[in-house]
Amino acid sequence: MKSFNTKIIAISNQKGGVGKTTSAVNIASFLAITETPTLIIDMDPQANATSGLGIDTTSSKHLSIYDVLINNKNLNQSITKTEIDYLDIIPSNSKLAGAEIELVSMFTRESVLKEALLSVKGKYKYIIIDSPPSLGLLTINVLTASDSVIIPIQCEYYALEGLSQLLNTIRLIQKNLNKDLNIEGILITMYDSRLNLSKQVINEVQEYFGDKVYQTYINRNVRLGEAPSHGKPIILYDPSSTGSNNYMNLVTEILNQDG
Ligand code: ATP
Ligand code: MG
């Protein structure tokens, strides 16, 4: 079997509702559409990436990321196929909420996910990890296991608020747990070109992050909001929508950066 130089990308921001899951699901889907073997890992107890890809989060049919982190199951056993060829998922469910506390007493509590990922390295070109809206041990595991992080920033008042806390966490992880962690890119989400506010936010973000900001912005798009309730990524729900085009362009940008 072909072995890949696997790249692991976290999608993180402890602020809630900024478009982490929407970005994780659709970046992973568009990578897979280009026949790039991709794994998405749902590290959020809300399990929105799992249900957003049409996987039943209450079924006991699939082992979940909880079983991997806490019950010592091999990651390979919890790989679940999605509707898209080349896209697999490690599902989540509400049990994962308990892991935040159960991890505390573990010996290598920050690097349980990193260790677990060793067994699938080489099998995928990209591993995309969705994070919960907090900076607890689940997110620390995500950042410790990743090569880089994409930070979605929602176009709204106080967009940059709380970001220094995230950047500080990233710096601490670089110093102590994962010196190779990079910022892959800053992603503007829920952009509305009719609003002056959107332009102001972009100016602020660009001033702060310079060329780390992706040229592709994700527009506010009703179809993107609807797709998860149908258990489909946007490429299957409405491939001609603005949201679908945005995520396709973003993935082109990501692939171009990686050469
Ligand atoms: P959480 O912190 O709770 O995990 P999140 O950061 O993962 O949230 P999402 O779940 O991706 O954020 O998005 C929040 C809500 O906004 C969801 O209902 C989603 O469908 C919707 N949404 C995300 N992106 C867009 C967009 N570009 N246009 C319209 N709606 C969007
Ligand atoms: Mg989410």
Side-chain angles (χ1 to χ4, degrees):
M1 205 171 76
K2 215 153 104 187
S3 181
F4 298 96
N5 192 358
T6 306
K7 182 164 182 181
I8 306 174
I9 305 179
I11 317 288
S12 301
N13 187 338
Q14 82 278 17
K15 203 178 235 193
V18 297
K20 291 182 288 297
T21 302
T22 304
S23 299
V25 163
N26 291 303
I27 290 170
S29 299
F30 275 107
L31 284 167
I33 292 293
T34 67
E35 302 192 348
T36 308
T38 303
L39 176 69
I40 179 167
I41 302 183
D42 191 347
M43 276 287 279
D44 184 354
Q46 299 179 92
N48 294 332
T50 305
S51 56
L53 283 165
I55 313 279
D56 181 2
T57 63
T58 59
S59 133
S60 53
K61 210 168 72 193
H62 317 286
L63 287 181
S64 70
I65 189 66
Y66 177 85
D67 300 301
V68 174
L69 297 174
I70 305 297
N71 297 334
N72 224 353
K73 295 286 184 216
N74 188 290
L75 203 69
N76 281 290
Q77 290 176 269
S78 56
I79 292 175
T80 303
K81 294 216 163 304
T82 71
E83 238 184 300
I84 298 182
D85 283 344
Y86 295 95
L87 180 61
D88 293 342
I89 181 170
I90 308 287
S92 174
N93 56 43
S94 55
K95 273 197 291 184
L96 187 61
E100 196 79 71
I101 290 160
E102 288 163 304
L103 280 168
V104 172
S105 61
M106 288 172 94
F107 175 53
T108 52
R109 59 186 186 188
E110 295 94 354
S111 47
V112 183
L113 180 64
K114 187 190 178 88
E115 291 299 318
L117 279 173
L118 293 177
S119 67
V120 292
K121 270 210 163 173
K123 188 167 174 178
Y124 299 95
K125 182 78 188 70
Y126 285 94
I127 298 178
I128 306 293
I129 315 181
D130 190 22
S131 315
S134 69
L135 290 173
L137 269 176
L138 287 171
T139 296
I140 290 175
N141 264 274
V142 172
L143 294 172
T144 302
S146 297
D147 296 306
S148 63
V149 51
I150 292 178
I151 305 175
I153 295 183
Q154 183 184 346
C155 262
E156 50 149 22
Y157 281 110
Y158 309 120
L160 291 173
E161 200 186 60
L163 221 57
S164 58
Q165 224 185 328
L166 174 63
L167 296 174
N168 208 26
T169 302
I170 291 173
R171 266 192 295 271
L172 283 171
I173 287 176
Q174 285 166 332
K175 199 169 151 212
N176 299 302
L177 296 160
N178 178 9
K179 67 174 168 32
D180 298 326
L181 178 66
N182 283 315
I183 294 184
E184 178 81 23
I186 306 294
L187 177 63
I188 303 283
T189 63
M190 302 188 218
Y191 174 71
D192 185 341
S193 59
R194 294 166 303 181
L195 299 180
N196 267 329
L197 172 66
S198 273
K199 289 172 194 138
Q200 280 170 31
V201 171
I202 284 176
N203 283 341
E204 247 178 88
V205 172
Q206 271 169 345
E207 217 163 278
Y208 198 90
F209 290 102
D211 61 5
K212 281 279 175 197
V213 185
Y214 288 114
Q215 280 168 14
T216 307
Y217 307 147
I218 309 301
N219 285 267
R220 192 172 275 285
N221 177 244
V222 187
R223 307 300 269 170
L224 278 176
E226 291 168 355
S229 62
H230 298 264
K232 289 190 188 305
I234 197 68
I235 178 70
L236 297 184
Y237 179 66
D238 188 350
S240 62
S241 61
T242 302
S244 182
N245 276 308
N246 291 160
Y247 277 107
M248 187 178 68
N249 292 338
L250 174 66
V251 164
T252 306
E253 209 179 321
I254 292 171
L255 287 171
N256 283 342
Q257 270 179 12
D258 283 348

